[in-house]
Amino acid sequence: MILVTGGAGYIGSHTCQYLKEMGEEVIVVDNLSTGFQDSVYADHFYDLDIRDEKLQKVFERHPIDGVIHFAASSLVGVSMEQPSVYYDNNLVGTLRLLDCMRAAGTENIVFSSTAATYGEPKRIPIEESDPTEPTNPYGETKLAMEKMMRWFDKAYGLKYVALRYFNAAGASKDTSLGERHNPETHLIPLILQVPLGRRQHISIFGEDYPTPDGTCVRDYIHVIDLAQAHYLAYQYLKAGSESEVFNLGNGNGYSVRQVIEVARDVTHHPIPAVSEARRPGDPAVLVASSQKARDILGWAPKHTQLKEIVEDAWNFYNK
Ligand code: UFG
């Protein structure tokens, strides 16, 4: 039985759907602060904050073989204004969770980390051994969560896999799940709000970056491929393997302008774009090397075309 924290959120819900398709028994714990109960794919659901001491009861009630840990605050901009909230939810929450795991004798955890642990990259594509120098409290707390797990491994034998995602995007093929953030800050959902009639134009944050068209380049990865990676990471730990850190991306960079162009093609809408100032803290280029995940986990992303990723998001919002 797998406990998924944050299983009502964007990547968590897609992972639960995937786990159910693989025949796993799933328990979701989510405080529904940003997640949605109608996105929960699970055998058992607990509306619970992971910092709540009742979490221990969940471990006592069910034989939990492993944990997949998504529950965290994840907005870079908000983290700059409210670091206290990020340290509390992300670090205190993880500490409580790991202590519950210790008490219950649950040894394996797959953990949702981020490209934001690298900060401004020193080289492209980014490899796992590259320097980690986060430029915001969000990335800083995710890196600290990774380090917490490393020390718990040394002291108590906890085994973990940290998955550093690049830009998660797309939606489930059956359109039951997709990206629903409030406020929305991510590029693809914001672009699609224009043809949906919810926004007049898309803003381009900076056209003076040292990239081919001057706009930021990102590595967009389909949320279904991320879901598969979590399942593989869980299997990897179950087989008794050592703790590891993996990047998850496609290894292809697309500029903001290219993403807008693909969205125009998919939606048959002109999607007006307006040039604006740079958003503070945005690195010019973030592209992953995911060779390690391919070699060690046997991960093979299947939905790698940006057009398919945008189409799936569009089908979700259109339903
Ligand atoms: N962008 C715009 N206009 C918008 C929104 C975004 O031009 O209205 C640009 C951003 O400046 C950026 C790109 O589109 O260059 C992608 O922005 P997102 O907000 O969609 O994604 P980020 O690359 O900022 O964020 C991702 C993950 C975070 C992670 C971060 C690491 O979503 O979890 O990478 O830097 F922290």
Side-chain angles (χ1 to χ4, degrees):
M1 208 177 253
I2 306 174
L3 171 68
V4 179
T5 73
Y10 174 45
I11 304 170
S13 61
H14 285 83
T15 300
C16 289
Q17 187 186 46
Y18 191 89
L19 294 173
K20 290 307 302 165
E21 281 167 16
M22 294 296 121
E24 298 288 345
E25 258 195 284
V26 176
I27 305 168
V28 165
V29 168
D30 196 303
N31 65 4
L32 300 179
S33 61
T34 55
F36 299 91
Q37 194 161 353
D38 62 9
S39 297
V40 172
Y41 277 79
D43 302 282
H44 305 277
F45 170 66
Y46 294 91
D47 179 352
L48 189 67
D49 191 294
I50 56 169
R51 289 163 295 187
D52 192 315
E53 57 188 29
K54 288 193 204 99
L55 184 63
Q56 191 66 56
K57 298 253 179 301
V58 179
F59 278 88
E60 285 163 12
R61 196 167 300 155
H62 304 280
I64 295 171
D65 304 309
V67 173
I68 305 184
H69 179 33
F70 295 99
S73 301
S74 65
L75 294 175
V76 172
V78 180
S79 79
M80 296 291 278
E81 282 151 27
Q82 301 173 9
S84 172
V85 171
Y86 276 64
Y87 276 86
D88 188 11
N89 195 25
N90 295 0
L91 275 174
V92 176
T94 300
L95 180 59
R96 296 276 179 275
L97 174 66
L98 298 189
D99 280 338
C100 286
M101 288 177 65
R102 275 178 65 204
T106 305
E107 280 174 357
N108 298 332
I109 181 166
V110 178
F111 159 60
S112 163
S113 191
T114 170
T117 53
Y118 294 107
E120 188 69 47
K122 306 288 174 292
R123 59 167 177 179
I124 296 294
I126 302 171
E127 291 181 14
E128 290 82 353
S129 54
D130 286 358
T132 44
E133 289 164 18
T135 52
N136 51 64
Y138 166 62
E140 197 74 75
T141 56
K142 286 276 174 167
L143 185 61
M145 289 153 84
E146 289 188 8
K147 289 182 178 171
M148 191 191 294
M149 292 181 196
R150 200 172 76 210
W151 292 113
F152 271 61
D153 182 358
K154 274 201 196 309
Y156 313 121
L158 175 103
K159 296 295 169 208
Y160 68 92
V161 167
L163 299 175
R164 293 178 179 162
Y165 329 138
F166 282 62
N167 287 63
S172 70
K173 295 285 173 189
D174 65 6
T175 72
S176 69
L177 298 173
E179 196 169 359
R180 290 194 275 168
H181 292 120
N182 190 16
E184 189 51 76
T185 62
H186 292 119
L187 180 64
I188 292 175
L190 285 173
I191 293 173
L192 295 177
Q193 286 182 2
V194 181
L196 288 166
R198 291 202 219 125
R199 158 181 308 270
Q200 296 295 313
H201 65 262
I202 182 70
S203 300
I204 298 179
F205 296 147
E207 295 201 87
D208 56 349
Y209 285 97
T211 59
D213 67 14
T215 66
C216 287
V217 169
R218 293 288 181 272
D219 184 340
Y220 295 89
I221 176 80
H222 202 300
V223 65
I224 299 174
D225 288 325
L226 290 182
Q228 186 210 22
H230 289 80
Y231 178 68
L232 292 172
Y234 173 72
Q235 298 297 341
Y236 164 87
L237 288 175
K238 242 177 97 175
S241 314
E242 286 305 309
S243 298
E244 266 298 358
V245 177
F246 299 102
N247 286 341
L248 298 178
N250 276 314
N252 300 317
Y254 291 94
S255 73
V256 172
R257 279 216 167 274
Q258 285 176 312
V259 178
I260 296 170
E261 211 42 66
V262 169
R264 286 175 178 145
D265 183 26
V266 166
T267 62
H268 308 293
H269 186 286
I271 311 184
V274 172
S275 189
E276 287 188 28
R278 288 184 179 196
R279 191 171 68 177
D282 275 339
V285 181
L286 285 177
V287 176
S289 164
S290 303
Q291 199 53 48
K292 191 173 160 189
R294 290 167 188 269
D295 291 346
I296 297 180
L297 295 180
W299 183 57
K302 293 192 185 78
H303 311 284
T304 56
Q305 296 304 308
L306 184 62
K307 189 169 180 197
E308 179 182 347
I309 294 174
V310 174
E311 256 165 12
D312 288 348
W314 180 236
N315 291 337
F316 169 71
Y317 293 121
N318 252 313
K319 129 189 119 164

